[in-house]
Amino acid sequence: MSTPPQQPESTPEPMAPQSPAAPSPAPPPPGQQPLAVPPQPTAYPYPNPQSPLPQNPYTQPAPPQQPNPYATQPGYGYPPPAAASPTGRNAAGRAVLWAVVGAVVASAGWAAGLFLTGGFGTGADLRGYRAPANLCSSADYSSFKDEYPVDDSAPTKNSMKDPALDESSCSLSLKKTSSSYGDAYLSLQLDLHRKTDPAPEFTATWKNYGDSHTDYDVTPVQGIGDEAYLVTQDTSNGSTTSGSRYATLAVRDGWMTFTMYYSAYFSSYDSDTDPPSLDDVTGWLKTDTKSTLEQLKD
């Protein structure tokens, strides 16, 4: 009987080293409960939930943040941006700052407006003048009385009062003793400008009167108000039967303007053969204008 072939002896594989077994706890004494066994170390390859996560040795550090080349840099008229505050104090501070700046700007604009309109209060620089309801009886034109002694029995008078403008005017005829009709005419007008300063327009009108009206002479007059201009024209060429003579004295004193206007027209039908010269008339206008303005002050 043959024997089965013998298998070659296999070389036993080496055993992996085993962790030393934990000693078994001693049995409890009779009548006592067994003690709880504390958790034993484990060879489980992953950490328990309380263990920190392992660090990746191949993780690369984050590159530093590059500045935006198109962002506005300090030093070109813009202040550097303020750091953000978790409490919002910077934003609140800026809001208060801009509110203060706005209030200062508004106050400055208000003060400048009052300065440009003549000061505080109403703003109108009226110098104490009043506009009477009847300027004919309040004005002085006595310098013309020697030449024209006959009073006008029905002069024309007008007046107006408005928050923006007070106005008073008078027109009357001048007559010599031998005349049946007026030989000349005298007109006066006073304006109190309550809302706007008349200075720029007054100067433009009267200083340049000769530019807008032909054959008129314009002469500045000193010593009456802030500024005054005398405007004259004589087309009679010395004749008493043709042509005319004209003279106006315009005065501005603060926001008050005043004009006194004389005119005489000659023809062959006039009885006045010896009218006054323009030099006489302009002298009377200056004298009576000064007197009238003094009387119209409160």
Side-chain angles (χ1 to χ4, degrees):
M1 178 175 180
S2 60
T3 59
Q6 299 294 323
Q7 298 292 332
E9 295 182 357
S10 60
T11 303
E13 294 181 2
M15 299 295 292
Q18 301 292 329
S19 298
S24 299
Q32 292 186 3
Q33 297 294 330
L35 297 176
V37 180
Q40 300 301 314
T42 176
Y44 191 74
Y46 298 101
N48 59 40
Q50 287 76 27
S51 301
L53 296 176
Q55 299 295 326
N56 186 355
Y58 301 102
T59 302
Q60 298 298 323
Q65 185 176 1
Q66 298 297 324
N68 184 357
Y70 302 101
T72 303
Q73 301 298 322
Y76 291 90
Y78 298 93
S85 172
T87 61
R89 292 180 180 177
N90 283 345
R94 288 196 297 271
V96 172
L97 175 61
W98 281 114
V100 172
V101 172
V104 171
V105 172
S107 299
W110 173 75
L114 290 176
F115 176 78
L116 292 175
T117 55
F120 295 88
T122 61
D125 183 14
L126 301 180
R127 307 287 174 92
Y129 289 101
R130 58 184 177 84
N134 188 347
L135 184 58
C136 293
S137 61
S138 302
D140 180 14
Y141 48 94
S142 58
S143 296
F144 292 84
K145 289 295 186 178
D146 290 339
E147 186 73 22
Y148 305 103
V150 180
D151 291 332
D152 187 345
S153 59
T156 301
K157 58 184 182 298
N158 291 288
S159 64
M160 179 192 74
K161 289 193 177 295
D162 185 86
L165 177 69
D166 287 355
E167 184 176 279
S168 185
S169 61
C170 170
S171 296
L172 50 87
S173 61
L174 303 174
K175 290 193 298 183
K176 294 187 174 183
T177 305
S178 58
S179 300
S180 301
Y181 303 98
D183 296 302
Y185 300 91
L186 190 68
S187 296
L188 306 86
Q189 180 164 324
L190 178 138
D191 293 322
L192 299 181
H193 305 262
R194 295 185 174 276
K195 295 296 184 181
T196 56
D197 185 356
E201 293 184 3
F202 179 88
T203 304
T205 298
W206 294 105
K207 183 179 180 180
N208 304 310
Y209 196 90
D211 297 335
S212 57
H213 300 77
T214 58
D215 299 328
Y216 283 86
D217 296 324
V218 180
T219 305
V221 177
Q222 304 297 324
I224 306 178
D226 290 336
E227 59 178 328
Y229 299 93
L230 180 65
V231 178
T232 59
Q233 182 192 54
D234 187 352
T235 62
S236 66
N237 296 320
S239 172
T240 60
T241 59
S242 64
S244 63
R245 291 176 186 172
Y246 166 93
T248 294
L249 180 59
V251 178
R252 181 188 66 82
D253 194 9
W255 288 22
M256 183 281 305
T257 57
F258 178 83
T259 56
M260 184 176 282
Y261 161 79
Y262 169 91
S263 60
Y265 304 92
F266 310 131
S267 72
S268 58
Y269 300 100
D270 292 332
S271 58
D272 185 8
T273 59
D274 187 21
S277 67
L278 269 183
D279 288 340
D280 291 337
V281 170
T282 57
W284 300 339
L285 289 175
K286 293 177 184 178
T287 300
D288 289 349
T289 293
K290 288 181 180 180
S291 177
T292 296
L293 293 180
E294 290 176 0
Q295 293 179 182
L296 293 178
K297 279 192 174 182
D298 292 331

